[in-house]
Amino acid sequence: MAVPARKTSKTRKRNRRGHIKLTVLGLAPCPNCGELRKSHMVCPSCGYYDGKQVVNANN
């Protein structure tokens, strides 16, 4: 059976919910153009990955 809300203190409730939060994306600067991009992904601005042009970017 559930515990009534008035018997659970605010601190106890907030401690339990401490892990529910937004996380920051793993962004790294592109070595070719310097724009921030997701790690291990093709750069959306220049189309380079691992020093080679993989996608033709339309700038």
mmCIF file of all heavy atoms in Angstrom:
data_model
loop_
_atom_site.group_PDB
_atom_site.id
_atom_site.type_symbol
_atom_site.label_atom_id
_atom_site.label_comp_id
_atom_site.label_asym_id
_atom_site.label_seq_id
_atom_site.Cartn_x
_atom_site.Cartn_y
_atom_site.Cartn_z
ATOM 1 N N MET A 1 0.836 -1.186 0.000
ATOM 2 C CA MET A 1 0.000 0.000 0.000
ATOM 3 C C MET A 1 0.881 1.251 0.000
ATOM 4 O O MET A 1 1.940 1.273 0.644
ATOM 5 C CB MET A 1 -0.887 -0.018 1.247
ATOM 6 C CG MET A 1 -1.978 0.991 1.224
ATOM 7 S SD MET A 1 -3.146 0.600 2.525
ATOM 8 C CE MET A 1 -3.696 2.201 2.930
ATOM 9 N N ALA A 2 0.451 2.287 -0.667
ATOM 10 C CA ALA A 2 1.249 3.505 -0.783
ATOM 11 C C ALA A 2 1.233 4.298 0.525
ATOM 12 O O ALA A 2 0.263 4.242 1.282
ATOM 13 C CB ALA A 2 0.706 4.368 -1.904
ATOM 14 N N VAL A 3 2.311 5.018 0.754
ATOM 15 C CA VAL A 3 2.415 5.855 1.934
ATOM 16 C C VAL A 3 1.753 7.191 1.620
ATOM 17 O O VAL A 3 1.988 7.770 0.551
ATOM 18 C CB VAL A 3 3.902 6.064 2.307
ATOM 19 C CG1 VAL A 3 4.035 6.978 3.507
ATOM 20 C CG2 VAL A 3 4.559 4.738 2.567
ATOM 21 N N PRO A 4 0.916 7.727 2.524
ATOM 22 C CA PRO A 4 0.295 9.033 2.271
ATOM 23 C C PRO A 4 1.342 10.126 2.068
ATOM 24 O O PRO A 4 2.413 10.092 2.688
ATOM 25 C CB PRO A 4 -0.527 9.290 3.533
ATOM 26 C CG PRO A 4 -0.753 7.954 4.130
ATOM 27 C CD PRO A 4 0.433 7.127 3.764
ATOM 28 N N ALA A 5 1.049 11.093 1.210
ATOM 29 C CA ALA A 5 2.002 12.138 0.848
ATOM 30 C C ALA A 5 2.449 12.949 2.056
ATOM 31 O O ALA A 5 3.597 13.378 2.126
ATOM 32 C CB ALA A 5 1.398 13.052 -0.199
ATOM 33 N N ARG A 6 1.593 13.190 3.001
ATOM 34 C CA ARG A 6 1.965 14.024 4.153
ATOM 35 C C ARG A 6 2.988 13.343 5.063
ATOM 36 O O ARG A 6 3.621 13.994 5.867
ATOM 37 C CB ARG A 6 0.731 14.436 4.937
ATOM 38 C CG ARG A 6 0.055 13.313 5.687
ATOM 39 C CD ARG A 6 -1.174 13.796 6.417
ATOM 40 N NE ARG A 6 -1.806 12.706 7.135
ATOM 41 C CZ ARG A 6 -2.647 11.832 6.591
ATOM 42 N NH1 ARG A 6 -2.943 11.914 5.309
ATOM 43 N NH2 ARG A 6 -3.173 10.880 7.320
ATOM 44 N N LYS A 7 3.159 12.035 4.936
ATOM 45 C CA LYS A 7 4.113 11.331 5.778
ATOM 46 C C LYS A 7 5.497 11.264 5.138
ATOM 47 O O LYS A 7 6.447 10.881 5.797
ATOM 48 C CB LYS A 7 3.624 9.912 6.065
ATOM 49 C CG LYS A 7 2.392 9.909 6.940
ATOM 50 C CD LYS A 7 2.138 8.573 7.543
ATOM 51 C CE LYS A 7 0.954 8.655 8.486
ATOM 52 N NZ LYS A 7 0.783 7.431 9.248
ATOM 53 N N THR A 8 5.616 11.591 3.880
ATOM 54 C CA THR A 8 6.913 11.633 3.214
ATOM 55 C C THR A 8 7.364 13.089 3.175
ATOM 56 O O THR A 8 6.713 13.921 2.559
ATOM 57 C CB THR A 8 6.819 11.081 1.786
ATOM 58 O OG1 THR A 8 6.249 9.778 1.829
ATOM 59 C CG2 THR A 8 8.164 11.009 1.135
ATOM 60 N N SER A 9 8.491 13.377 3.834
ATOM 61 C CA SER A 9 8.955 14.759 3.897
ATOM 62 C C SER A 9 9.426 15.237 2.520
ATOM 63 O O SER A 9 9.745 14.435 1.641
ATOM 64 C CB SER A 9 10.092 14.893 4.904
ATOM 65 O OG SER A 9 11.243 14.257 4.411
ATOM 66 N N LYS A 10 9.496 16.539 2.364
ATOM 67 C CA LYS A 10 9.937 17.130 1.090
ATOM 68 C C LYS A 10 11.373 16.737 0.770
ATOM 69 O O LYS A 10 11.707 16.434 -0.371
ATOM 70 C CB LYS A 10 9.826 18.656 1.163
ATOM 71 C CG LYS A 10 8.411 19.160 1.212
ATOM 72 C CD LYS A 10 8.378 20.651 1.449
ATOM 73 C CE LYS A 10 6.957 21.095 1.698
ATOM 74 N NZ LYS A 10 6.897 22.456 2.230
ATOM 75 N N THR A 11 12.224 16.713 1.781
ATOM 76 C CA THR A 11 13.624 16.356 1.568
ATOM 77 C C THR A 11 13.762 14.914 1.096
ATOM 78 O O THR A 11 14.508 14.630 0.165
ATOM 79 C CB THR A 11 14.417 16.548 2.875
ATOM 80 O OG1 THR A 11 14.232 17.872 3.328
ATOM 81 C CG2 THR A 11 15.879 16.280 2.667
ATOM 82 N N ARG A 12 13.019 14.014 1.723
ATOM 83 C CA ARG A 12 13.059 12.608 1.338
ATOM 84 C C ARG A 12 12.596 12.411 -0.099
ATOM 85 O O ARG A 12 13.201 11.667 -0.869
ATOM 86 C CB ARG A 12 12.155 11.809 2.266
ATOM 87 C CG ARG A 12 12.794 10.594 2.832
ATOM 88 C CD ARG A 12 11.808 9.880 3.713
ATOM 89 N NE ARG A 12 12.340 9.229 4.858
ATOM 90 C CZ ARG A 12 13.327 8.370 4.876
ATOM 91 N NH1 ARG A 12 13.969 8.085 3.789
ATOM 92 N NH2 ARG A 12 13.722 7.801 5.982
ATOM 93 N N LYS A 13 11.542 13.097 -0.449
ATOM 94 C CA LYS A 13 10.989 12.994 -1.799
ATOM 95 C C LYS A 13 11.967 13.559 -2.827
ATOM 96 O O LYS A 13 12.187 12.968 -3.880
ATOM 97 C CB LYS A 13 9.655 13.748 -1.854
ATOM 98 C CG LYS A 13 8.962 13.690 -3.178
ATOM 99 C CD LYS A 13 7.539 14.209 -3.147
ATOM 100 C CE LYS A 13 7.364 15.453 -2.330
ATOM 101 N NZ LYS A 13 6.000 15.955 -2.342
ATOM 102 N N ARG A 14 12.582 14.671 -2.518
ATOM 103 C CA ARG A 14 13.516 15.313 -3.458
ATOM 104 C C ARG A 14 14.809 14.524 -3.592
ATOM 105 O O ARG A 14 15.413 14.501 -4.655
ATOM 106 C CB ARG A 14 13.779 16.748 -3.024
ATOM 107 C CG ARG A 14 12.553 17.623 -3.226
ATOM 108 C CD ARG A 14 12.708 18.991 -2.646
ATOM 109 N NE ARG A 14 11.458 19.724 -2.757
ATOM 110 C CZ ARG A 14 11.173 20.803 -2.057
ATOM 111 N NH1 ARG A 14 12.049 21.300 -1.196
ATOM 112 N NH2 ARG A 14 10.019 21.414 -2.209
ATOM 113 N N ASN A 15 15.258 13.888 -2.519
ATOM 114 C CA ASN A 15 16.450 13.037 -2.602
ATOM 115 C C ASN A 15 16.199 11.854 -3.518
ATOM 116 O O ASN A 15 17.080 11.430 -4.261
ATOM 117 C CB ASN A 15 16.844 12.522 -1.219
ATOM 118 C CG ASN A 15 17.628 13.535 -0.424
ATOM 119 O OD1 ASN A 15 18.239 14.427 -0.995
ATOM 120 N ND2 ASN A 15 17.615 13.406 0.887
ATOM 121 N N ARG A 16 15.024 11.307 -3.463
ATOM 122 C CA ARG A 16 14.672 10.158 -4.284
ATOM 123 C C ARG A 16 14.623 10.544 -5.761
ATOM 124 O O ARG A 16 14.906 9.735 -6.624
ATOM 125 C CB ARG A 16 13.314 9.611 -3.818
ATOM 126 C CG ARG A 16 12.949 8.285 -4.394
ATOM 127 C CD ARG A 16 11.707 7.702 -3.759
ATOM 128 N NE ARG A 16 10.541 8.534 -3.918
ATOM 129 C CZ ARG A 16 9.819 9.038 -2.916
ATOM 130 N NH1 ARG A 16 10.164 8.812 -1.660
ATOM 131 N NH2 ARG A 16 8.770 9.784 -3.152
ATOM 132 N N ARG A 17 14.262 11.776 -6.046
ATOM 133 C CA ARG A 17 14.134 12.229 -7.425
ATOM 134 C C ARG A 17 15.366 12.980 -7.917
ATOM 135 O O ARG A 17 15.318 13.654 -8.941
ATOM 136 C CB ARG A 17 12.907 13.132 -7.553
ATOM 137 C CG ARG A 17 11.635 12.370 -7.295
ATOM 138 C CD ARG A 17 10.438 13.247 -7.327
ATOM 139 N NE ARG A 17 9.255 12.452 -7.009
ATOM 140 C CZ ARG A 17 8.082 12.957 -6.718
ATOM 141 N NH1 ARG A 17 7.903 14.267 -6.697
ATOM 142 N NH2 ARG A 17 7.071 12.179 -6.443
ATOM 143 N N GLY A 18 16.457 12.886 -7.218
ATOM 144 C CA GLY A 18 17.673 13.630 -7.556
ATOM 145 C C GLY A 18 18.315 13.227 -8.866
ATOM 146 O O GLY A 18 19.024 14.015 -9.480
ATOM 147 N N HIS A 19 18.084 12.001 -9.325
ATOM 148 C CA HIS A 19 18.714 11.532 -10.557
ATOM 149 C C HIS A 19 17.898 11.862 -11.796
ATOM 150 O O HIS A 19 18.355 11.623 -12.903
ATOM 151 C CB HIS A 19 18.943 10.021 -10.486
ATOM 152 C CG HIS A 19 17.671 9.235 -10.533
ATOM 153 N ND1 HIS A 19 16.860 9.095 -9.432
ATOM 154 C CD2 HIS A 19 17.067 8.595 -11.543
ATOM 155 C CE1 HIS A 19 15.802 8.375 -9.781
ATOM 156 N NE2 HIS A 19 15.903 8.056 -11.055
ATOM 157 N N ILE A 20 16.689 12.415 -11.635
ATOM 158 C CA ILE A 20 15.840 12.741 -12.778
ATOM 159 C C ILE A 20 16.218 14.155 -13.240
ATOM 160 O O ILE A 20 15.776 15.148 -12.669
ATOM 161 C CB ILE A 20 14.349 12.673 -12.405
ATOM 162 C CG1 ILE A 20 14.013 11.291 -11.880
ATOM 163 C CG2 ILE A 20 13.475 13.038 -13.591
ATOM 164 C CD1 ILE A 20 12.634 11.160 -11.287
ATOM 165 N N LYS A 21 17.064 14.233 -14.263
ATOM 166 C CA LYS A 21 17.496 15.540 -14.755
ATOM 167 C C LYS A 21 17.961 15.409 -16.202
ATOM 168 O O LYS A 21 18.169 14.306 -16.704
ATOM 169 C CB LYS A 21 18.609 16.102 -13.884
ATOM 170 C CG LYS A 21 19.806 15.188 -13.736
ATOM 171 C CD LYS A 21 20.823 15.778 -12.781
ATOM 172 C CE LYS A 21 21.922 14.811 -12.486
ATOM 173 N NZ LYS A 21 21.633 13.886 -11.427
ATOM 174 N N LEU A 22 18.140 16.520 -16.859
ATOM 175 C CA LEU A 22 18.634 16.533 -18.227
ATOM 176 C C LEU A 22 20.132 16.277 -18.234
ATOM 177 O O LEU A 22 20.848 16.675 -17.321
ATOM 178 C CB LEU A 22 18.351 17.888 -18.884
ATOM 179 C CG LEU A 22 16.892 18.253 -19.095
ATOM 180 C CD1 LEU A 22 16.787 19.684 -19.609
ATOM 181 C CD2 LEU A 22 16.243 17.303 -20.063
ATOM 182 N N THR A 23 20.598 15.619 -19.273
ATOM 183 C CA THR A 23 22.026 15.366 -19.400
ATOM 184 C C THR A 23 22.589 16.163 -20.570
ATOM 185 O O THR A 23 21.885 16.439 -21.546
ATOM 186 C CB THR A 23 22.311 13.871 -19.632
ATOM 187 O OG1 THR A 23 21.591 13.446 -20.784
ATOM 188 C CG2 THR A 23 21.882 13.044 -18.427
ATOM 189 N N VAL A 24 23.845 16.532 -20.476
ATOM 190 C CA VAL A 24 24.511 17.307 -21.513
ATOM 191 C C VAL A 24 25.009 16.349 -22.599
ATOM 192 O O VAL A 24 25.542 15.285 -22.301
ATOM 193 C CB VAL A 24 25.700 18.089 -20.913
ATOM 194 C CG1 VAL A 24 26.411 18.902 -21.981
ATOM 195 C CG2 VAL A 24 25.215 18.985 -19.804
ATOM 196 N N LEU A 25 24.821 16.727 -23.857
ATOM 197 C CA LEU A 25 25.320 15.920 -24.967
ATOM 198 C C LEU A 25 26.839 15.942 -24.981
ATOM 199 O O LEU A 25 27.462 16.926 -24.577
ATOM 200 C CB LEU A 25 24.811 16.476 -26.296
ATOM 201 C CG LEU A 25 23.320 16.396 -26.561
ATOM 202 C CD1 LEU A 25 22.982 17.132 -27.835
ATOM 203 C CD2 LEU A 25 22.895 14.947 -26.673
ATOM 204 N N GLY A 26 27.438 14.857 -25.479
ATOM 205 C CA GLY A 26 28.888 14.790 -25.590
ATOM 206 C C GLY A 26 29.333 15.519 -26.843
ATOM 207 O O GLY A 26 29.473 14.902 -27.893
ATOM 208 N N LEU A 27 29.532 16.824 -26.762
ATOM 209 C CA LEU A 27 29.936 17.625 -27.912
ATOM 210 C C LEU A 27 31.438 17.842 -27.902
ATOM 211 O O LEU A 27 32.041 18.051 -26.848
ATOM 212 C CB LEU A 27 29.221 18.979 -27.900
ATOM 213 C CG LEU A 27 27.704 18.936 -28.038
ATOM 214 C CD1 LEU A 27 27.139 20.335 -27.949
ATOM 215 C CD2 LEU A 27 27.286 18.288 -29.328
ATOM 216 N N ALA A 28 32.021 17.781 -29.078
ATOM 217 C CA ALA A 28 33.457 18.000 -29.232
ATOM 218 C C ALA A 28 33.671 18.890 -30.453
ATOM 219 O O ALA A 28 32.903 18.829 -31.407
ATOM 220 C CB ALA A 28 34.173 16.675 -29.424
ATOM 221 N N PRO A 29 34.705 19.725 -30.452
ATOM 222 C CA PRO A 29 34.959 20.564 -31.624
ATOM 223 C C PRO A 29 35.461 19.724 -32.800
ATOM 224 O O PRO A 29 36.243 18.794 -32.628
ATOM 225 C CB PRO A 29 36.027 21.548 -31.153
ATOM 226 C CG PRO A 29 36.668 20.884 -29.996
ATOM 227 C CD PRO A 29 35.638 20.006 -29.366
ATOM 228 N N CYS A 30 35.021 20.065 -33.989
ATOM 229 C CA CYS A 30 35.465 19.386 -35.206
ATOM 230 C C CYS A 30 36.915 19.784 -35.473
ATOM 231 O O CYS A 30 37.245 20.966 -35.463
ATOM 232 C CB CYS A 30 34.572 19.792 -36.368
ATOM 233 S SG CYS A 30 35.110 19.174 -37.969
ATOM 234 N N PRO A 31 37.804 18.826 -35.706
ATOM 235 C CA PRO A 31 39.206 19.183 -35.957
ATOM 236 C C PRO A 31 39.405 19.912 -37.281
ATOM 237 O O PRO A 31 40.400 20.604 -37.463
ATOM 238 C CB PRO A 31 39.941 17.838 -35.968
ATOM 239 C CG PRO A 31 38.906 16.796 -36.088
ATOM 240 C CD PRO A 31 37.600 17.386 -35.645
ATOM 241 N N ASN A 32 38.438 19.787 -38.204
ATOM 242 C CA ASN A 32 38.568 20.430 -39.512
ATOM 243 C C ASN A 32 38.077 21.879 -39.482
ATOM 244 O O ASN A 32 38.792 22.780 -39.899
ATOM 245 C CB ASN A 32 37.789 19.624 -40.564
ATOM 246 C CG ASN A 32 38.015 20.140 -41.957
ATOM 247 O OD1 ASN A 32 39.149 20.311 -42.362
ATOM 248 N ND2 ASN A 32 36.953 20.407 -42.665
ATOM 249 N N CYS A 33 36.856 22.122 -38.984
ATOM 250 C CA CYS A 33 36.291 23.475 -39.045
ATOM 251 C C CYS A 33 36.108 24.129 -37.673
ATOM 252 O O CYS A 33 35.875 25.330 -37.588
ATOM 253 C CB CYS A 33 34.948 23.450 -39.776
ATOM 254 S SG CYS A 33 33.644 22.564 -38.905
ATOM 255 N N GLY A 34 36.184 23.352 -36.569
ATOM 256 C CA GLY A 34 36.071 23.918 -35.235
ATOM 257 C C GLY A 34 34.656 24.011 -34.696
ATOM 258 O O GLY A 34 34.465 24.389 -33.543
ATOM 259 N N GLU A 35 33.638 23.660 -35.491
ATOM 260 C CA GLU A 35 32.250 23.685 -35.028
ATOM 261 C C GLU A 35 32.037 22.560 -34.014
ATOM 262 O O GLU A 35 32.671 21.511 -34.095
ATOM 263 C CB GLU A 35 31.294 23.469 -36.198
ATOM 264 C CG GLU A 35 31.187 24.636 -37.142
ATOM 265 C CD GLU A 35 30.262 25.736 -36.632
ATOM 266 O OE1 GLU A 35 29.278 25.422 -35.938
ATOM 267 O OE2 GLU A 35 30.548 26.894 -36.936
ATOM 268 N N LEU A 36 31.114 22.768 -33.075
ATOM 269 C CA LEU A 36 30.789 21.703 -32.134
ATOM 270 C C LEU A 36 29.953 20.647 -32.835
ATOM 271 O O LEU A 36 29.023 20.962 -33.567
ATOM 272 C CB LEU A 36 30.027 22.264 -30.932
ATOM 273 C CG LEU A 36 30.851 23.054 -29.931
ATOM 274 C CD1 LEU A 36 29.960 23.560 -28.822
ATOM 275 C CD2 LEU A 36 31.960 22.215 -29.349
ATOM 276 N N ARG A 37 30.297 19.392 -32.590
ATOM 277 C CA ARG A 37 29.565 18.281 -33.190
ATOM 278 C C ARG A 37 29.524 17.150 -32.188
ATOM 279 O O ARG A 37 30.278 17.125 -31.215
ATOM 280 C CB ARG A 37 30.245 17.813 -34.470
ATOM 281 C CG ARG A 37 31.655 17.310 -34.234
ATOM 282 C CD ARG A 37 32.272 16.680 -35.448
ATOM 283 N NE ARG A 37 33.649 16.317 -35.200
ATOM 284 C CZ ARG A 37 34.048 15.202 -34.623
ATOM 285 N NH1 ARG A 37 33.181 14.317 -34.216
ATOM 286 N NH2 ARG A 37 35.334 14.952 -34.455
ATOM 287 N N LYS A 38 28.622 16.179 -32.379
ATOM 288 C CA LYS A 38 28.569 15.021 -31.510
ATOM 289 C C LYS A 38 29.789 14.152 -31.757
ATOM 290 O O LYS A 38 30.245 14.009 -32.888
ATOM 291 C CB LYS A 38 27.294 14.220 -31.770
ATOM 292 C CG LYS A 38 26.044 14.903 -31.244
ATOM 293 C CD LYS A 38 24.793 14.173 -31.640
ATOM 294 C CE LYS A 38 24.616 12.941 -30.825
ATOM 295 N NZ LYS A 38 23.317 12.284 -31.053
ATOM 296 N N SER A 39 30.326 13.576 -30.689
ATOM 297 C CA SER A 39 31.513 12.731 -30.796
ATOM 298 C C SER A 39 31.240 11.520 -31.677
ATOM 299 O O SER A 39 30.154 10.943 -31.633
ATOM 300 C CB SER A 39 31.941 12.253 -29.412
ATOM 301 O OG SER A 39 32.293 13.356 -28.626
ATOM 302 N N HIS A 40 32.210 11.119 -32.466
ATOM 303 C CA HIS A 40 32.149 9.947 -33.343
ATOM 304 C C HIS A 40 31.058 10.056 -34.405
ATOM 305 O O HIS A 40 30.539 9.041 -34.867
ATOM 306 C CB HIS A 40 31.966 8.652 -32.531
ATOM 307 C CG HIS A 40 32.962 8.496 -31.439
ATOM 308 N ND1 HIS A 40 34.277 8.166 -31.671
ATOM 309 C CD2 HIS A 40 32.847 8.654 -30.096
ATOM 310 C CE1 HIS A 40 34.914 8.109 -30.505
ATOM 311 N NE2 HIS A 40 34.074 8.406 -29.559
ATOM 312 N N MET A 41 30.713 11.270 -34.810
ATOM 313 C CA MET A 41 29.709 11.489 -35.851
ATOM 314 C C MET A 41 30.301 12.425 -36.907
ATOM 315 O O MET A 41 31.209 13.189 -36.629
ATOM 316 C CB MET A 41 28.438 12.133 -35.272
ATOM 317 C CG MET A 41 27.781 11.325 -34.177
ATOM 318 S SD MET A 41 27.126 9.780 -34.745
ATOM 319 C CE MET A 41 25.544 10.280 -35.306
ATOM 320 N N VAL A 42 29.748 12.372 -38.116
ATOM 321 C CA VAL A 42 30.174 13.260 -39.195
ATOM 322 C C VAL A 42 29.786 14.691 -38.825
ATOM 323 O O VAL A 42 28.698 14.929 -38.309
ATOM 324 C CB VAL A 42 29.506 12.848 -40.524
ATOM 325 C CG1 VAL A 42 29.855 13.813 -41.635
ATOM 326 C CG2 VAL A 42 29.904 11.445 -40.897
ATOM 327 N N CYS A 43 30.658 15.643 -39.088
ATOM 328 C CA CYS A 43 30.382 17.053 -38.791
ATOM 329 C C CYS A 43 29.274 17.549 -39.721
ATOM 330 O O CYS A 43 29.415 17.443 -40.947
ATOM 331 C CB CYS A 43 31.647 17.879 -38.970
ATOM 332 S SG CYS A 43 31.409 19.627 -38.624
ATOM 333 N N PRO A 44 28.190 18.092 -39.181
ATOM 334 C CA PRO A 44 27.098 18.549 -40.040
ATOM 335 C C PRO A 44 27.441 19.801 -40.847
ATOM 336 O O PRO A 44 26.827 20.066 -41.878
ATOM 337 C CB PRO A 44 25.957 18.831 -39.065
ATOM 338 C CG PRO A 44 26.592 19.017 -37.749
ATOM 339 C CD PRO A 44 27.861 18.227 -37.768
ATOM 340 N N SER A 45 28.429 20.588 -40.397
ATOM 341 C CA SER A 45 28.736 21.825 -41.108
ATOM 342 C C SER A 45 29.724 21.629 -42.256
ATOM 343 O O SER A 45 29.581 22.242 -43.310
ATOM 344 C CB SER A 45 29.263 22.880 -40.138
ATOM 345 O OG SER A 45 30.453 22.437 -39.541
ATOM 346 N N CYS A 46 30.719 20.750 -42.083
ATOM 347 C CA CYS A 46 31.714 20.583 -43.159
ATOM 348 C C CYS A 46 31.676 19.196 -43.793
ATOM 349 O O CYS A 46 32.203 19.006 -44.887
ATOM 350 C CB CYS A 46 33.118 20.891 -42.635
ATOM 351 S SG CYS A 46 33.732 19.724 -41.419
ATOM 352 N N GLY A 47 31.079 18.204 -43.129
ATOM 353 C CA GLY A 47 30.958 16.868 -43.701
ATOM 354 C C GLY A 47 32.187 15.999 -43.544
ATOM 355 O O GLY A 47 32.288 14.967 -44.190
ATOM 356 N N TYR A 48 33.120 16.376 -42.680
ATOM 357 C CA TYR A 48 34.346 15.601 -42.489
ATOM 358 C C TYR A 48 34.209 14.646 -41.317
ATOM 359 O O TYR A 48 33.516 14.924 -40.337
ATOM 360 C CB TYR A 48 35.530 16.533 -42.219
ATOM 361 C CG TYR A 48 36.186 17.033 -43.476
ATOM 362 C CD1 TYR A 48 35.565 17.976 -44.277
ATOM 363 C CD2 TYR A 48 37.437 16.573 -43.860
ATOM 364 C CE1 TYR A 48 36.163 18.437 -45.434
ATOM 365 C CE2 TYR A 48 38.049 17.033 -45.013
ATOM 366 C CZ TYR A 48 37.412 17.958 -45.794
ATOM 367 O OH TYR A 48 38.015 18.417 -46.935
ATOM 368 N N TYR A 49 34.868 13.494 -41.416
ATOM 369 C CA TYR A 49 34.985 12.539 -40.321
ATOM 370 C C TYR A 49 36.336 11.848 -40.441
ATOM 371 O O TYR A 49 36.688 11.367 -41.512
ATOM 372 C CB TYR A 49 33.859 11.493 -40.356
ATOM 373 C CG TYR A 49 33.945 10.521 -39.215
ATOM 374 C CD1 TYR A 49 33.574 10.909 -37.938
ATOM 375 C CD2 TYR A 49 34.416 9.236 -39.406
ATOM 376 C CE1 TYR A 49 33.661 10.037 -36.873
ATOM 377 C CE2 TYR A 49 34.512 8.348 -38.350
ATOM 378 C CZ TYR A 49 34.127 8.753 -37.082
ATOM 379 O OH TYR A 49 34.219 7.882 -36.025
ATOM 380 N N ASP A 50 37.082 11.838 -39.381
ATOM 381 C CA ASP A 50 38.398 11.197 -39.324
ATOM 382 C C ASP A 50 39.354 11.755 -40.386
ATOM 383 O O ASP A 50 40.122 11.020 -41.001
ATOM 384 C CB ASP A 50 38.242 9.680 -39.461
ATOM 385 C CG ASP A 50 39.476 8.919 -39.006
ATOM 386 O OD1 ASP A 50 40.224 9.470 -38.174
ATOM 387 O OD2 ASP A 50 39.703 7.804 -39.487
ATOM 388 N N GLY A 51 39.276 13.067 -40.646
ATOM 389 C CA GLY A 51 40.183 13.706 -41.580
ATOM 390 C C GLY A 51 39.833 13.557 -43.033
ATOM 391 O O GLY A 51 40.575 14.007 -43.896
ATOM 392 N N LYS A 52 38.694 12.908 -43.340
ATOM 393 C CA LYS A 52 38.282 12.718 -44.728
ATOM 394 C C LYS A 52 36.887 13.291 -44.935
ATOM 395 O O LYS A 52 36.056 13.213 -44.034
ATOM 396 C CB LYS A 52 38.251 11.219 -45.079
ATOM 397 C CG LYS A 52 39.559 10.512 -44.868
ATOM 398 C CD LYS A 52 39.383 9.020 -45.058
ATOM 399 C CE LYS A 52 40.455 8.319 -44.277
ATOM 400 N NZ LYS A 52 39.978 7.306 -43.385
ATOM 401 N N GLN A 53 36.640 13.828 -46.117
ATOM 402 C CA GLN A 53 35.297 14.326 -46.425
ATOM 403 C C GLN A 53 34.414 13.127 -46.785
ATOM 404 O O GLN A 53 34.685 12.411 -47.737
ATOM 405 C CB GLN A 53 35.315 15.326 -47.570
ATOM 406 C CG GLN A 53 33.946 15.953 -47.761
ATOM 407 C CD GLN A 53 33.992 17.167 -48.645
ATOM 408 O OE1 GLN A 53 34.975 17.429 -49.294
ATOM 409 N NE2 GLN A 53 32.903 17.902 -48.641
ATOM 410 N N VAL A 54 33.362 12.939 -46.002
ATOM 411 C CA VAL A 54 32.484 11.790 -46.185
ATOM 412 C C VAL A 54 31.166 12.218 -46.793
ATOM 413 O O VAL A 54 30.599 11.499 -47.620
ATOM 414 C CB VAL A 54 32.220 11.101 -44.816
ATOM 415 C CG1 VAL A 54 31.637 9.721 -45.026
ATOM 416 C CG2 VAL A 54 33.465 11.020 -43.992
ATOM 417 N N VAL A 55 30.678 13.385 -46.413
ATOM 418 C CA VAL A 55 29.394 13.899 -46.883
ATOM 419 C C VAL A 55 29.642 15.247 -47.545
ATOM 420 O O VAL A 55 30.439 16.046 -47.073
ATOM 421 C CB VAL A 55 28.410 14.066 -45.699
ATOM 422 C CG1 VAL A 55 27.094 14.634 -46.160
ATOM 423 C CG2 VAL A 55 28.209 12.759 -44.986
ATOM 424 N N ASN A 56 28.943 15.489 -48.633
ATOM 425 C CA ASN A 56 29.065 16.789 -49.302
ATOM 426 C C ASN A 56 28.147 17.781 -48.597
ATOM 427 O O ASN A 56 26.944 17.734 -48.743
ATOM 428 C CB ASN A 56 28.667 16.629 -50.779
ATOM 429 C CG ASN A 56 29.143 17.793 -51.615
ATOM 430 O OD1 ASN A 56 29.823 18.669 -51.114
ATOM 431 N ND2 ASN A 56 28.785 17.792 -52.872
ATOM 432 N N ALA A 57 28.727 18.673 -47.783
ATOM 433 C CA ALA A 57 27.957 19.642 -47.021
ATOM 434 C C ALA A 57 27.617 20.841 -47.895
ATOM 435 O O ALA A 57 28.458 21.351 -48.641
ATOM 436 C CB ALA A 57 28.746 20.105 -45.795
ATOM 437 N N ASN A 58 26.384 21.299 -47.813
ATOM 438 C CA ASN A 58 25.919 22.462 -48.579
ATOM 439 C C ASN A 58 25.981 23.698 -47.719
ATOM 440 O O ASN A 58 25.113 23.933 -46.884
ATOM 441 C CB ASN A 58 24.492 22.232 -49.086
ATOM 442 C CG ASN A 58 24.411 21.059 -50.023
ATOM 443 O OD1 ASN A 58 25.402 20.722 -50.665
ATOM 444 N ND2 ASN A 58 23.254 20.440 -50.110
ATOM 445 N N ASN A 59 27.012 24.502 -47.870
ATOM 446 C CA ASN A 59 27.147 25.751 -47.103
ATOM 447 C C ASN A 59 26.800 26.922 -47.952
ATOM 448 O O ASN A 59 27.218 27.231 -48.956
ATOM 449 C CB ASN A 59 28.544 25.895 -46.533
ATOM 450 C CG ASN A 59 28.730 24.957 -45.350
ATOM 451 O OD1 ASN A 59 27.768 24.392 -44.855
ATOM 452 N ND2 ASN A 59 29.954 24.795 -44.926
#
